[in-house]
Amino acid sequence: MKTILIISSALLVCISMGIAQEDAHWPLDTNVEDALGYFHGEMTPNGVSFADDPIRGKVMLLDGVSGYVTLPLGLLDFVQDVTITCWFNWAGGGNWQRVYSFGNSMPNVRTLYLCPRDGWVPNKLHITLGGQPPNGAFTWKDFMPDSIETNTWYFSAFILKGDSLKFYLNDDLVVNEGDVLVDPEDLIPDSANYIGRSHWPDPTYNGMIDDLRFYPYAFSPEEVIALYETPVNVNVPEKTVQQFILNQNYPNPFNPATKISYSIPKASFVTLKIFDLLGREISTLVNEFQRADTYNVNFDASDIANGIYIYQLKINNEFIKTKRMVLLR
Protein backbone atom coordinates (compact mmCIF):
# COMPACT_ATOMS: atom_id res chain seq x y z
CA MET A 1 0.00 0.00 0.00
CA LYS A 2 1.23 3.46 -0.80
CA THR A 3 0.28 7.00 0.09
CA ILE A 4 0.60 9.76 -2.49
CA LEU A 5 0.53 13.46 -1.72
CA ILE A 6 0.46 15.85 -4.66
CA ILE A 7 1.07 19.41 -3.57
CA SER A 8 -0.54 22.33 -5.32
CA SER A 9 0.10 26.01 -5.24
CA ALA A 10 -3.60 26.40 -6.00
CA LEU A 11 -4.33 25.82 -2.34
CA LEU A 12 -2.09 28.63 -1.23
CA VAL A 13 -3.67 31.59 -3.00
CA CYS A 14 -7.41 31.14 -3.35
CA ILE A 15 -10.42 33.31 -4.04
CA SER A 16 -10.43 35.91 -1.31
CA MET A 17 -13.06 35.68 1.41
CA GLY A 18 -11.57 38.46 3.50
CA ILE A 19 -10.24 36.11 6.17
CA ALA A 20 -6.50 36.33 5.54
CA GLN A 21 -4.19 34.95 8.20
CA GLU A 22 -6.89 32.72 9.70
CA ASP A 23 -6.56 28.97 10.02
CA ALA A 24 -9.33 26.40 9.64
CA HIS A 25 -10.14 23.33 11.71
CA TRP A 26 -12.56 20.51 10.96
CA PRO A 27 -12.77 18.24 14.05
CA LEU A 28 -14.95 15.83 11.99
CA ASP A 29 -16.54 14.41 15.13
CA THR A 30 -20.27 14.97 14.57
CA ASN A 31 -20.39 17.25 11.49
CA VAL A 32 -18.22 18.85 8.78
CA GLU A 33 -18.28 22.40 10.14
CA ASP A 34 -15.16 24.51 10.62
CA ALA A 35 -14.69 24.98 14.37
CA LEU A 36 -13.47 28.52 13.71
CA GLY A 37 -16.69 29.37 11.88
CA TYR A 38 -15.45 30.30 8.40
CA PHE A 39 -15.18 27.29 6.06
CA HIS A 40 -18.08 24.92 6.72
CA GLY A 41 -18.14 21.80 4.56
CA GLU A 42 -21.06 20.09 2.82
CA MET A 43 -21.36 16.30 2.87
CA THR A 44 -23.12 14.01 0.42
CA PRO A 45 -26.57 12.67 1.43
CA ASN A 46 -25.19 9.13 1.65
CA GLY A 47 -21.90 7.52 2.52
CA VAL A 48 -20.77 9.90 5.29
CA SER A 49 -21.29 9.01 8.95
CA PHE A 50 -19.67 9.56 12.33
CA ALA A 51 -18.47 6.79 14.60
CA ASP A 52 -16.89 6.18 18.01
CA ASP A 53 -13.31 5.00 17.60
CA PRO A 54 -11.50 3.53 20.64
CA ILE A 55 -8.31 5.43 19.79
CA ARG A 56 -9.45 8.76 18.35
CA GLY A 57 -12.92 9.13 19.87
CA LYS A 58 -15.54 10.67 17.54
CA VAL A 59 -14.39 10.47 13.90
CA MET A 60 -15.78 10.75 10.37
CA LEU A 61 -16.35 7.51 8.44
CA LEU A 62 -16.51 7.42 4.61
CA ASP A 63 -17.90 4.30 2.91
CA GLY A 64 -15.69 4.17 -0.21
CA VAL A 65 -18.76 4.22 -2.46
CA SER A 66 -20.51 7.58 -2.52
CA GLY A 67 -19.44 9.53 0.55
CA TYR A 68 -17.30 12.65 0.45
CA VAL A 69 -17.23 16.25 1.72
CA THR A 70 -16.99 19.43 -0.36
CA LEU A 71 -15.10 22.29 1.27
CA PRO A 72 -15.47 25.95 0.22
CA LEU A 73 -12.93 27.87 -1.84
CA GLY A 74 -10.58 30.43 -0.31
CA LEU A 75 -9.12 28.27 2.43
CA LEU A 76 -5.90 30.26 2.64
CA ASP A 77 -5.80 33.70 1.03
CA PHE A 78 -2.47 35.07 -0.18
CA VAL A 79 -0.41 32.79 2.04
CA GLN A 80 2.90 31.39 0.82
CA ASP A 81 3.76 29.26 3.85
CA VAL A 82 1.28 26.65 5.03
CA THR A 83 0.90 23.68 7.38
CA ILE A 84 -1.81 21.04 6.81
CA THR A 85 -2.37 18.29 9.36
CA CYS A 86 -4.85 15.45 9.79
CA TRP A 87 -5.32 11.92 11.09
CA PHE A 88 -6.39 9.14 8.71
CA ASN A 89 -7.11 5.41 8.97
CA TRP A 90 -7.50 3.72 5.58
CA ALA A 91 -9.60 0.54 5.36
CA GLY A 92 -8.29 -0.56 1.96
CA GLY A 93 -9.86 -0.82 -1.48
CA GLY A 94 -9.00 0.58 -4.89
CA ASN A 95 -5.99 2.66 -5.88
CA TRP A 96 -5.95 6.46 -6.02
CA GLN A 97 -8.47 7.12 -3.27
CA ARG A 98 -8.12 10.56 -1.65
CA VAL A 99 -7.97 11.50 2.00
CA TYR A 100 -8.27 15.08 0.75
CA SER A 101 -7.83 16.87 -2.57
CA PHE A 102 -7.50 20.60 -3.25
CA GLY A 103 -7.02 22.64 -6.40
CA ASN A 104 -7.46 21.94 -10.10
CA SER A 105 -7.45 18.99 -12.47
CA MET A 106 -7.21 19.45 -16.24
CA PRO A 107 -6.37 21.50 -18.22
CA ASN A 108 -4.21 23.51 -15.78
CA VAL A 109 -3.27 20.95 -13.15
CA ARG A 110 -2.18 22.51 -9.88
CA THR A 111 -3.32 20.26 -7.12
CA LEU A 112 -2.59 18.96 -3.64
CA TYR A 113 -3.84 15.58 -2.50
CA LEU A 114 -3.15 12.80 -0.05
CA CYS A 115 -3.76 9.30 -1.39
CA PRO A 116 -3.39 6.12 0.71
CA ARG A 117 -2.29 4.02 -2.28
CA ASP A 118 -1.49 4.95 -5.86
CA GLY A 119 -1.27 2.67 -8.88
CA TRP A 120 2.49 2.81 -9.37
CA VAL A 121 4.54 1.16 -6.64
CA PRO A 122 2.32 -0.44 -3.91
CA ASN A 123 3.06 -0.25 -0.19
CA LYS A 124 4.94 3.06 -0.25
CA LEU A 125 4.16 6.51 1.05
CA HIS A 126 4.38 8.60 -2.11
CA ILE A 127 4.54 12.39 -2.12
CA THR A 128 4.45 14.33 -5.39
CA LEU A 129 4.73 18.07 -5.89
CA GLY A 130 3.91 19.60 -9.23
CA GLY A 131 1.40 20.76 -11.78
CA GLN A 132 0.83 23.15 -14.66
CA PRO A 133 1.31 26.82 -13.73
CA PRO A 134 -0.07 29.47 -16.11
CA ASN A 135 2.28 29.85 -19.08
CA GLY A 136 4.69 27.41 -17.49
CA ALA A 137 6.06 23.91 -17.91
CA PHE A 138 4.42 20.83 -16.41
CA THR A 139 6.71 19.80 -13.53
CA TRP A 140 6.62 17.12 -10.83
CA LYS A 141 8.72 15.89 -7.93
CA ASP A 142 8.19 12.46 -6.38
CA PHE A 143 9.13 11.11 -2.94
CA MET A 144 8.57 7.53 -1.72
CA PRO A 145 10.00 7.42 1.81
CA ASP A 146 7.95 4.91 3.80
CA SER A 147 5.12 2.36 3.95
CA ILE A 148 1.83 2.32 5.84
CA GLU A 149 -0.67 -0.33 6.96
CA THR A 150 -4.43 -0.57 6.59
CA ASN A 151 -6.71 -0.12 9.61
CA THR A 152 -4.03 1.91 11.39
CA TRP A 153 -4.18 5.54 12.50
CA TYR A 154 -1.55 7.89 11.05
CA PHE A 155 -0.89 11.53 11.78
CA SER A 156 0.25 13.55 8.74
CA ALA A 157 1.73 17.04 8.59
CA PHE A 158 2.54 18.75 5.29
CA ILE A 159 4.63 21.92 5.65
CA LEU A 160 5.55 24.31 2.84
CA LYS A 161 7.86 27.22 3.70
CA GLY A 162 9.20 29.16 0.74
CA ASP A 163 10.81 26.54 -1.49
CA SER A 164 11.17 24.02 1.34
CA LEU A 165 8.82 21.02 1.70
CA LYS A 166 8.61 18.85 4.81
CA PHE A 167 6.25 15.96 5.45
CA TYR A 168 5.79 14.16 8.76
CA LEU A 169 4.21 10.75 9.27
CA ASN A 170 3.35 10.57 12.96
CA ASP A 171 6.37 12.26 14.57
CA ASP A 172 8.87 11.15 11.91
CA LEU A 173 10.18 13.58 9.28
CA VAL A 174 9.98 11.41 6.15
CA VAL A 175 10.44 14.12 3.49
CA ASN A 176 12.76 17.12 3.71
CA GLU A 177 13.17 18.75 0.30
CA GLY A 178 14.82 22.12 -0.21
CA ASP A 179 13.88 22.90 -3.82
CA VAL A 180 10.21 22.32 -4.57
CA LEU A 181 9.89 24.83 -7.44
CA VAL A 182 6.65 26.39 -6.23
CA ASP A 183 6.60 29.95 -7.53
CA PRO A 184 3.98 32.17 -5.82
CA GLU A 185 3.59 34.12 -9.07
CA ASP A 186 2.32 30.95 -10.76
CA LEU A 187 -0.45 30.27 -8.26
CA ILE A 188 -3.93 29.88 -9.72
CA PRO A 189 -7.34 29.76 -7.98
CA ASP A 190 -8.67 26.39 -6.90
CA SER A 191 -11.78 24.97 -8.55
CA ALA A 192 -12.86 22.59 -5.81
CA ASN A 193 -11.75 21.21 -2.44
CA TYR A 194 -12.71 17.76 -1.19
CA ILE A 195 -12.35 15.38 1.70
CA GLY A 196 -12.57 11.80 0.43
CA ARG A 197 -12.94 12.59 -3.28
CA SER A 198 -10.56 13.04 -6.21
CA HIS A 199 -10.61 15.70 -8.93
CA TRP A 200 -10.27 12.79 -11.37
CA PRO A 201 -12.62 9.76 -11.77
CA ASP A 202 -10.96 7.79 -8.96
CA PRO A 203 -12.61 5.76 -6.17
CA THR A 204 -13.86 7.64 -3.12
CA TYR A 205 -12.09 7.16 0.20
CA ASN A 206 -12.83 4.10 2.34
CA GLY A 207 -11.98 4.61 6.00
CA MET A 208 -11.84 7.11 8.84
CA ILE A 209 -10.56 10.70 8.90
CA ASP A 210 -10.16 12.96 11.93
CA ASP A 211 -9.08 16.47 12.88
CA LEU A 212 -8.14 18.21 9.60
CA ARG A 213 -6.37 21.53 10.21
CA PHE A 214 -4.87 24.38 8.15
CA TYR A 215 -2.35 26.94 9.42
CA PRO A 216 -1.07 29.96 7.43
CA TYR A 217 2.52 29.47 8.58
CA ALA A 218 5.13 26.71 8.67
CA PHE A 219 5.22 24.56 11.79
CA SER A 220 8.49 24.00 13.61
CA PRO A 221 9.44 20.40 14.50
CA GLU A 222 8.42 21.11 18.09
CA GLU A 223 4.95 22.24 16.98
CA VAL A 224 4.47 19.11 14.86
CA ILE A 225 5.36 16.83 17.76
CA ALA A 226 3.24 18.83 20.19
CA LEU A 227 0.16 18.53 17.95
CA TYR A 228 0.85 14.83 17.31
CA GLU A 229 1.00 14.24 21.07
CA THR A 230 -2.10 16.33 21.88
CA PRO A 231 -4.52 14.11 23.85
CA VAL A 232 -7.77 13.10 22.14
CA ASN A 233 -11.27 12.55 23.50
CA VAL A 234 -11.12 15.95 25.20
CA ASN A 235 -13.92 18.20 24.00
CA VAL A 236 -12.40 21.67 24.35
CA PRO A 237 -13.90 24.55 22.33
CA GLU A 238 -11.45 25.65 19.66
CA LYS A 239 -12.28 29.34 19.92
CA THR A 240 -13.33 30.48 23.37
CA VAL A 241 -11.91 34.02 23.32
CA GLN A 242 -11.83 36.75 20.69
CA GLN A 243 -8.25 38.04 20.85
CA PHE A 244 -4.76 37.47 22.23
CA ILE A 245 -4.55 38.83 25.77
CA LEU A 246 -1.74 38.97 28.33
CA ASN A 247 -2.97 40.09 31.73
CA GLN A 248 -1.04 41.75 34.54
CA ASN A 249 0.25 39.20 37.02
CA TYR A 250 -1.50 38.98 40.39
CA PRO A 251 -0.51 39.74 43.04
CA ASN A 252 1.95 42.43 42.03
CA PRO A 253 4.22 43.19 43.84
CA PHE A 254 4.50 39.56 44.97
CA ASN A 255 6.43 37.38 47.42
CA PRO A 256 7.44 34.76 46.44
CA ALA A 257 4.77 33.50 44.00
CA THR A 258 2.41 35.11 41.51
CA LYS A 259 -0.03 34.06 38.81
CA ILE A 260 0.14 35.05 35.11
CA SER A 261 -2.96 34.65 32.94
CA TYR A 262 -3.35 34.91 29.16
CA SER A 263 -5.90 34.09 26.46
CA ILE A 264 -5.48 32.77 22.90
CA PRO A 265 -8.34 32.75 20.34
CA LYS A 266 -7.06 29.82 18.26
CA ALA A 267 -4.85 26.76 18.64
CA SER A 268 -1.27 28.04 18.70
CA PHE A 269 2.28 27.33 19.79
CA VAL A 270 2.83 29.35 22.97
CA THR A 271 5.94 30.39 24.90
CA LEU A 272 5.88 32.30 28.19
CA LYS A 273 9.26 33.36 29.58
CA ILE A 274 10.67 35.43 32.44
CA PHE A 275 13.62 37.83 31.93
CA ASP A 276 15.56 40.19 34.14
CA LEU A 277 16.08 43.85 33.17
CA LEU A 278 19.34 42.95 31.40
CA GLY A 279 17.46 40.63 29.06
CA ARG A 280 18.76 37.42 30.61
CA GLU A 281 16.29 34.56 30.59
CA ILE A 282 15.31 33.49 34.11
CA SER A 283 12.68 30.83 33.43
CA THR A 284 10.52 29.27 30.71
CA LEU A 285 7.03 28.69 32.08
CA VAL A 286 5.28 27.54 28.87
CA ASN A 287 6.70 26.11 25.65
CA GLU A 288 4.03 24.00 23.94
CA PHE A 289 1.10 23.80 21.53
CA GLN A 290 -2.16 24.88 23.23
CA ARG A 291 -5.81 24.99 22.23
CA ALA A 292 -7.83 28.19 22.25
CA ASP A 293 -8.63 29.07 25.86
CA THR A 294 -7.64 31.18 28.87
CA TYR A 295 -4.68 29.88 30.88
CA ASN A 296 -3.29 30.60 34.36
CA VAL A 297 0.38 29.91 35.09
CA ASN A 298 2.06 30.08 38.49
CA PHE A 299 5.55 31.56 38.86
CA ASP A 300 7.57 30.82 42.00
CA ALA A 301 10.44 33.29 42.52
CA SER A 302 11.82 31.77 45.72
CA ASP A 303 15.29 31.32 44.21
CA ILE A 304 15.82 34.76 42.65
CA ALA A 305 16.62 38.18 44.07
CA ASN A 306 14.27 41.08 44.69
CA GLY A 307 13.72 43.36 41.75
CA ILE A 308 11.78 44.10 38.58
CA TYR A 309 11.30 41.29 36.07
CA ILE A 310 9.80 41.05 32.57
CA TYR A 311 7.43 38.32 31.44
CA GLN A 312 6.93 37.77 27.71
CA LEU A 313 4.14 35.92 25.86
CA LYS A 314 4.95 34.80 22.31
CA ILE A 315 2.38 33.08 20.05
CA ASN A 316 3.21 31.72 16.57
CA ASN A 317 5.56 34.69 16.05
CA GLU A 318 2.46 36.79 15.30
CA PHE A 319 1.79 38.11 18.82
CA ILE A 320 4.47 39.17 21.29
CA LYS A 321 3.54 41.01 24.48
CA THR A 322 5.59 41.88 27.57
CA LYS A 323 4.72 43.19 31.01
CA ARG A 324 6.65 44.04 34.18
CA MET A 325 6.28 42.56 37.63
CA VAL A 326 7.95 43.33 40.96
CA LEU A 327 9.36 40.79 43.39
CA LEU A 328 9.41 42.48 46.81
CA ARG A 329 10.21 40.63 50.01
Side-chain angles (χ1 to χ4, degrees):
M1 175 178 52
K2 176 167 67 172
T3 302
I4 179 168
L5 180 65
I6 293 185
I7 312 304
S8 168
S9 55
L11 172 66
L12 306 181
V13 174
C14 305
I15 298 174
S16 175
M17 295 181 63
I19 314 172
Q21 297 301 313
E22 287 284 347
D23 58 2
H25 176 202
W26 296 271
L28 303 178
D29 48 8
T30 59
N31 56 54
V32 293
E33 294 182 356
D34 174 12
L36 301 184
Y38 303 125
F39 299 105
H40 298 316
E42 181 178 351
M43 56 188 176
T44 54
N46 301 304
V48 181
S49 60
F50 300 91
D52 289 307
D53 179 76
I55 297 176
R56 294 291 307 167
K58 294 283 189 180
V59 299
M60 184 175 70
L61 179 63
L62 301 181
D63 66 354
V65 179
S66 59
Y68 64 89
V69 175
T70 301
L71 299 177
L73 305 183
L75 289 173
L76 293 174
D77 295 341
F78 307 104
V79 175
Q80 181 175 352
D81 299 341
V82 62
T83 299
I84 303 172
T85 68
C86 81
W87 289 82
F88 67 96
N89 184 327
W90 185 54
N95 297 335
W96 300 109
Q97 297 177 32
R98 303 293 198 271
V99 177
Y100 51 72
S101 183
F102 305 94
N104 297 53
S105 56
M106 302 301 289
N108 293 320
V109 178
R110 204 66 175 172
T111 187
L112 155 66
Y113 62 77
L114 173 60
C115 170
R117 185 178 67 196
D118 68 13
W120 299 343
V121 183
N123 302 316
K124 284 288 187 178
L125 178 75
H126 188 136
I127 299 174
T128 301
L129 174 67
Q132 177 71 59
N135 304 316
F138 195 84
T139 59
W140 298 95
K141 280 200 172 185
D142 299 293
F143 310 94
M144 293 171 283
D146 211 339
S147 60
I148 65 173
E149 303 292 335
T150 56
N151 301 308
T152 302
W153 279 107
Y154 289 95
F155 172 77
S156 65
F158 158 71
I159 303 167
L160 183 63
K161 181 177 177 61
D163 62 355
S164 173
L165 167 66
K166 298 180 187 294
F167 186 79
Y168 286 81
L169 191 66
N170 295 332
D171 57 351
D172 294 326
L173 178 62
V174 295
V175 172
N176 187 6
E177 174 67 19
D179 183 16
V180 296
L181 303 178
V182 175
D183 186 351
E185 295 180 356
D186 291 334
L187 304 184
I188 57 179
D190 54 354
S191 59
N193 299 310
Y194 300 116
I195 302 175
R197 177 184 172 178
S198 170
H199 286 82
W200 286 267
D202 300 305
T204 55
Y205 179 81
N206 178 32
M208 295 179 285
I209 304 174
D210 190 35
D211 203 39
L212 174 62
R213 299 171 182 245
F214 285 72
Y215 296 87
Y217 69 97
F219 265 27
S220 67
E222 293 78 14
E223 289 173 291
V224 172
I225 294 173
L227 184 55
Y228 168 64
E229 294 179 346
T230 298
V232 296
N233 299 330
V234 178
N235 186 18
V236 178
E238 185 70 19
K239 194 172 185 181
T240 58
V241 293
Q242 299 300 314
Q243 60 183 336
F244 296 113
I245 298 173
L246 176 62
N247 295 309
Q248 186 64 51
N249 65 299
Y250 181 83
N252 188 47
F254 66 98
N255 176 30
T258 188
K259 180 180 294 184
I260 301 171
S261 68
Y262 59 90
S263 300
I264 56 176
K266 61 181 180 179
S268 307
F269 194 85
V270 178
T271 58
L272 178 62
K273 295 185 177 183
I274 310 296
F275 299 89
D276 64 18
L277 290 180
L278 296 178
R280 295 174 297 194
E281 183 176 327
I282 303 300
S283 178
T284 297
L285 303 181
V286 178
N287 186 39
E288 64 182 11
F289 187 92
Q290 294 182 331
R291 296 178 181 271
D293 208 342
T294 296
Y295 294 85
N296 296 294
V297 179
N298 292 320
F299 173 55
D300 189 337
S302 299
D303 297 330
I304 62 176
N306 283 358
I308 299 174
Y309 293 88
I310 306 295
Y311 58 100
Q312 179 193 76
L313 180 68
K314 186 175 182 181
I315 302 174
N316 292 344
N317 291 320
E318 62 186 61
F319 176 85
I320 300 176
K321 185 73 172 180
T322 61
K323 288 183 179 290
R324 293 191 176 197
M325 58 184 176
V326 179
L327 173 59
L328 182 62
R329 292 187 174 91

